[in-house]
Amino acid sequence: MTRALAAAVAAAAMVVSLAGCDDKDQAGTSPVGRERAGEDRAGEDQADESVVTGQRNGGATSDLPGGLTTRQKLMLDNLPESGAVMAAGEYLQRFTTCERYSIDPADTRYYPMDEEFDESWGVRFRGTCDDAGDSYIRVFWTGTDGMKTFQEAYRADIAERVKKSPSAGIDGGFAIGRDFAVIAPDPDTVRQLSSSFLLVLNCNPNFEPVGDTSTAPAQVDGCVLTDDFTD
């Protein structure tokens, strides 16, 4: 009887040990949902670092100890880099209906005014394609060294517009990666972009994220990057 009791206790201890291992392993392997890659580590990482939400557009650095939060670092680390304007279009085709992608400057689907602002916005090449909503997706390729110029130009543009309307650009404007920006008028296309790891550039000083919206620092003060692709 003594041996039987000892065996039962040992078996129970093994079950507890295995259950503990399962809990620890599963904390880092939960399914990736709408919040995109990296959210699966929230259970373990958020015990040490809180996710920033409800933060106004205040600047390009976090005022939390240690700088970026885990969530912010994941958002920025996952920003896609295309390397070329043609590759940027091919990347978009993985997530959206982007048909007849063209980088021809003579393509009639470009907005005529775009070319006037290319240099001042840091844009080197442009691309365009048809989406499913009978509108055009426009791609602005800056290279990594031109993205800050692009963000500065957008911030200045929003500042002028806010003088006339405080809500100008309140939902953000461009979806951006490390070296390219995208604008898509169709709401369905915008929602499709939510799974692309691009982030929305928001430079409206009155913007306040709500709900589960997360923000990360942009490259310029007064702007933030958000994962809110709702219109």
Side-chain angles (χ1 to χ4, degrees):
M1 179 177 292
T2 301
R3 287 196 297 271
L5 180 59
V9 171
M14 183 176 292
V15 170
V16 171
S17 176
L18 290 174
C21 289
D22 288 344
D23 290 343
K24 183 178 180 181
D25 293 341
Q26 289 176 7
T29 56
S30 59
V32 177
R34 189 183 68 82
E35 293 298 322
R36 294 176 293 287
E39 196 69 8
D40 47 342
R41 296 184 55 193
E44 182 173 328
D45 291 336
Q46 289 181 13
D48 298 320
E49 298 186 67
S50 59
V51 174
V52 173
T53 56
Q55 175 181 316
R56 282 183 179 271
N57 283 4
T61 59
S62 171
D63 59 358
L64 298 176
L68 298 176
T69 66
T70 298
R71 175 62 180 155
Q72 289 174 325
K73 186 174 186 305
L74 287 168
M75 291 169 72
L76 296 177
D77 285 350
N78 285 329
L79 274 177
E81 180 176 347
S82 64
V85 65
M86 197 67 195
E90 292 169 354
Y91 183 78
L92 291 178
Q93 289 172 336
R94 294 167 51 185
F95 304 95
T96 69
T97 302
C98 179
E99 299 177 337
R100 296 196 305 129
Y101 185 70
S102 170
I103 60 173
D104 181 359
D107 195 303
T108 57
R109 293 173 296 175
Y110 288 122
Y111 281 18
M113 71 179 73
D114 283 347
E115 187 175 1
E116 300 176 18
F117 300 99
D118 280 355
E119 183 175 356
S120 61
W121 282 61
V123 175
R124 298 180 184 178
F125 301 101
R126 282 177 285 124
T128 185
C129 58
D130 302 337
D131 67 15
D134 295 326
S135 57
Y136 307 137
I137 301 172
R138 289 183 291 156
V139 177
F140 304 86
W141 195 82
T142 63
T144 54
D145 56 346
M147 178 50 68
K148 184 174 182 180
T149 299
F150 185 92
Q151 294 184 21
E152 289 173 337
Y154 181 65
R155 179 186 61 185
D157 179 66
I158 289 296
E160 286 299 314
R161 290 165 56 190
V162 166
K163 293 178 182 178
K164 300 178 181 179
S165 172
S167 62
I170 197 68
D171 295 321
F174 295 90
I176 67 168
R178 295 183 189 277
D179 60 357
F180 68 101
V182 179
I183 192 163
D186 185 70
D188 289 337
T189 302
V190 172
R191 283 188 286 272
Q192 290 168 358
L193 288 173
S194 66
S195 61
S196 68
F197 300 103
L198 297 171
L199 294 173
V200 176
L201 178 63
N202 194 309
C203 296
N204 186 304
N206 302 309
F207 167 71
E208 288 190 69
V210 296
D212 60 355
T213 297
S214 297
T215 66
Q219 292 189 29
V220 297
D221 291 340
C223 300
V224 293
L225 305 179
T226 84
D227 58 2
D228 186 2
F229 281 81
T230 58
D231 48 273

